[in-house]
Amino acid sequence: MQKTAYSRPLPVPDSESTPFWDGMREGKLMLQRCASSGEHLFPPVTFCPGSLEIPEWTETSGKGEIFSWIVVRHPVPRDLYADEVPYVVAIVALDEGCRMTGNLVDVAPEDVRAGMKVEIVYNHVTPEITLPAFRPTGS
Amino acid sequence: MFKLSDKYAIAGIGNTEYSKFSGRTVRSLATEACLKAIEDAGLTVADIDGIVSFNFNDSAPAMGVATEMGIENAGYAVDYAAGGNGANLITLAATAAIEAGLAKNVLCFRAMNGRSGFRLGGGRDMSAYGVTQYTAPLGWITYPQAMAMWARRHMIDYGTTEEHWAEIATTFRDNAVINERAMQRTPMTKDDYYNSRFIVDPFRMYDICLESDGACAVVITSAEQARDLKQKPVYIMGGAYGGGPSQGDDLFDAIRWPSHSHNCFKYLADDLWGSAGIGPKDVDVAEIYDCFTYSVLMALEGLGFCEEGEGGPFVMGGRIARTGELPLNTHGGLLSEAYIHGFNHVIEAVEQLRGTAGARQIDGAEIALTTAGAMTCGSAMILRN
């Protein structure tokens, strides 16, 4: 039986982001790193802010901790998210030092805490697109 | 730093009715507000040679409004692509244009059918381009969802609570109750606040501003000319625009921003106070950009009314009420008067400094602060009478 088509906004990969989305699809968190400063970068850029070098792509651990989060209870647009609420969007401070965004899964919204240890989960929503999500590591 | 202290003045103000459904074009709203501002100043359309606005593709072009009014020579007709940060940016830009000789009398306006027409942050795009590709697909789409992420971080860093936000929401509503222009004039108790439903934790409905149809306009001219016009001049004593490092592509793109517990005002405070030669203690009344309750705290902290993290305790105990030491948002703000993108704050500050604010009047108001913006980029003015 054919699955219902995915009906929520999808990313449009571009020249800066294609390695990130390719990595997601393959189950790898690929991030940019500035060779001179050593800083990891998210979202992707063409020039490293400050050094203005061309960043290199590198596979990262996918581990970090909750920096901030929201619990969406009122769906907007309603027709797209009425069946999804409540859901959690988080900013995660990755162990590599930069922050990134993702949904938070496998945890009740009221149990989320700042500093909670999380790891990446790959949310395969279409054959082309895998969205980043995070779940508590339990430690 | 802004170097035109007291050289330019707001000589006229105008606004339309604020409503949920204007039933009119945005351009006609803009024109009505502009014509009222011109008349208020004691000028005629023939005196106007500049017109400036800001928008998110949700307004009427300055040239179109100039055309509808029949301005003969709109030499400086400019639209800034700006959002919450724009209200004081365009007034400062008007002074710069006059100083440069590009115009003599400049209209500044903001007009929108923000409820019945283009609703900001509706998120209908199914294809997420640019930085939006990392946010919208997660269901992180609306402005309240963006700001709630910041608000949570302030709670984590400093122990800010909903009690502080309840104080802000109810204080501003108290002001709106006696403001005939305000869209929300029903009194709000703390219980009403706590009983309002969560939209996006940690924000309840009453932490979030209104959506409005309406327009506001002001006329800016030289201080010398303003003194010869109909109204008591309100001088632009100081101003600043901008923010800090890593302002990002849009309001969701604050991922590299140094701290979600402070916003742009931390970075423009020195220029703002320096340009006016005064400090926070000299302000008699402040109209703070309040797209959300929480954003008021970051403005107060960033501009030095209190230390970072102390905004919550600072607003308690009546300090920000009409009778307090720092009356805030005497019109009810974006939370309870209307959402005209912060331009209604400029109108209110002028009325306070003219002494024509009626029941809302703060006795002896001589210096007012207006701010616009809540995240990585903003603008502010110091006005005096």
Side-chain angles (χ1 to χ4, degrees):
Chain A
M1 200 171 84
Q2 196 170 0
K3 278 183 72 177
T4 309
Y6 187 73
S7 63
R8 290 187 287 282
L10 282 167
V12 180
D14 55 35
S15 61
E16 289 176 340
S17 67
T18 294
F20 173 80
W21 294 115
D22 285 350
M24 280 287 120
R25 191 173 56 242
E26 294 160 15
K28 291 186 285 193
L29 176 56
M30 299 298 294
L31 293 181
Q32 291 175 322
R33 183 177 170 278
C34 175
S36 66
S37 73
E39 283 181 45
H40 285 78
L41 304 167
F42 183 89
V45 291
T46 297
F47 301 99
C48 299
S51 76
L52 303 181
E53 292 178 12
I54 308 299
E56 59 194 22
W57 285 93
T58 176
E59 186 176 352
T60 60
S61 68
K63 294 185 186 305
E65 61 178 48
I66 299 293
F67 175 79
S68 190
W69 78 97
I70 60 169
V71 184
V72 177
R73 301 203 181 264
H74 176 75
V76 182
R78 176 174 294 279
D79 55 320
L80 302 187
Y81 289 97
D83 296 336
E84 300 294 311
V85 292
Y87 63 89
V88 180
V89 184
I91 296 178
V92 172
L94 295 171
D95 289 351
E96 285 81 3
C98 66
R99 301 192 287 249
M100 74 172 281
T101 45
N103 290 115
L104 200 55
V105 297
D106 296 345
V107 58
E110 50 271 23
D111 292 337
V112 183
R113 296 288 179 271
M116 180 181 263
K117 303 288 185 196
V118 294
E119 63 186 3
I120 196 161
V121 180
Y122 299 95
N123 181 16
H124 302 284
V125 296
T126 72
E128 296 80 28
I129 294 296
T130 298
L131 298 175
F134 291 88
R135 69 182 171 207
T137 59
S139 61
Chain B
M1 186 157 57
F2 179 74
K3 293 178 178 172
L4 304 176
S5 181
D6 295 342
K7 290 185 71 175
Y8 295 94
I10 297 175
I13 56 175
N15 63 274
T16 65
E17 178 191 17
Y18 306 142
S19 73
K20 289 184 173 179
F21 183 81
S22 71
R24 300 167 50 182
T25 64
V26 178
R27 193 188 64 238
S28 81
L29 293 170
T31 299
E32 178 187 327
C34 286
L35 290 172
K36 284 178 172 171
I38 294 167
E39 186 188 5
D40 180 64
L43 292 167
T44 68
V45 169
D47 297 313
I48 302 298
D49 54 2
I51 181 164
V52 190
S53 188
F54 66 99
N55 66 71
F56 272 145
N57 295 322
D58 61 344
S59 187
M63 287 190 297
V65 178
T67 301
E68 185 165 36
M69 287 192 293
I71 292 177
E72 287 285 323
N73 182 12
Y76 189 75
V78 181
D79 296 290
Y80 281 79
N85 54 328
N88 299 310
L89 164 63
I90 65 169
T91 50
L92 296 175
T95 67
I98 302 171
E99 179 78 7
L102 298 174
K104 285 184 176 162
N105 301 307
V106 179
L107 274 168
C108 300
F109 76 86
R110 178 68 169 118
M112 53 169 70
N113 277 331
R115 181 63 179 80
S116 70
F118 182 100
R119 297 176 71 179
L120 287 173
R124 293 302 320 178
D125 292 339
M126 298 301 278
S127 298
Y129 292 92
V131 293
T132 306
Q133 68 190 287
Y134 311 105
T135 56
L138 308 176
W140 198 31
I141 292 170
T142 70
Y143 291 18
Q145 292 167 2
M147 196 81 216
M149 196 72 88
W150 293 61
R152 175 85 69 188
R153 193 61 212 176
H154 203 268
M155 300 172 97
I156 296 165
D157 282 340
Y158 297 118
T160 298
T161 69
E162 56 195 8
E163 184 187 1
H164 304 129
W165 302 342
E167 184 84 6
I168 293 168
T170 54
T171 301
F172 293 1
R173 179 61 62 86
D174 285 346
N175 295 338
V177 166
I178 58 167
N179 173 7
E180 63 280 358
R181 284 195 299 256
M183 290 174 66
Q184 293 290 348
R185 300 189 65 189
T186 308
M188 184 202 298
T189 65
K190 292 276 173 69
D191 280 347
D192 293 332
Y193 170 88
Y194 287 116
N195 289 332
S196 72
R197 66 197 168 101
F198 279 104
I199 301 297
V200 48
D201 305 10
F203 284 160
R204 292 175 168 83
M205 190 172 72
Y206 289 146
D207 289 307
I208 299 169
C209 72
L210 305 172
E211 295 175 291
S212 311
D213 293 2
C216 299
V218 302
V219 177
I220 295 184
T221 191
S222 69
E224 298 89 63
Q225 172 162 255
R227 282 191 277 274
D228 294 333
L229 292 176
K230 202 162 99 186
Q231 307 291 348
K232 181 177 182 175
V234 169
Y235 300 100
I236 300 174
M237 191 183 188
Y241 171 75
S246 305
Q247 293 178 30
D249 278 22
D250 70 11
L251 80 166
F252 283 89
D253 187 26
I255 199 120
R256 295 189 173 96
W257 184 251
S259 166
H260 287 62
S261 283
H262 67 240
N263 68 6
C264 53
F265 292 109
K266 175 188 171 83
Y267 299 95
L268 56 76
D270 287 348
D271 277 355
L272 177 69
W273 301 121
S275 69
I278 63 164
K281 289 204 179 328
D282 300 308
V283 171
D284 297 314
V285 57
E287 315 298 351
I288 303 282
Y289 194 84
D290 56 330
C291 46
F292 304 97
T293 49
Y294 165 60
S295 53
V296 175
L297 299 184
M298 282 195 292
L300 293 172
E301 295 172 6
L303 292 176
F305 288 95
C306 57
E307 294 295 314
E308 182 169 319
E310 293 179 2
F314 180 85
V315 300
M316 302 303 288
R319 180 182 265 135
I320 62 171
R322 289 193 303 282
T323 51
E325 79 183 59
L326 183 66
L328 294 190
N329 293 19
T330 44
H331 52 334
L334 305 174
L335 288 166
S336 281
E337 187 194 51
Y339 182 85
I340 314 295
H341 233 154
F343 222 75
N344 46 325
H345 291 41
V346 178
I347 301 281
E348 175 69 7
V350 170
E351 292 209 323
Q352 288 288 343
L353 296 176
R354 285 181 179 175
T356 57
R360 310 185 309 281
Q361 184 64 45
I362 304 303
D363 287 341
E366 295 179 352
I367 293 179
L369 164 70
T370 58
T371 74
M375 293 183 175
T376 63
C377 181
S379 58
M381 283 193 296
I382 309 289
L383 302 174
R384 74 165 182 88
N385 59 20

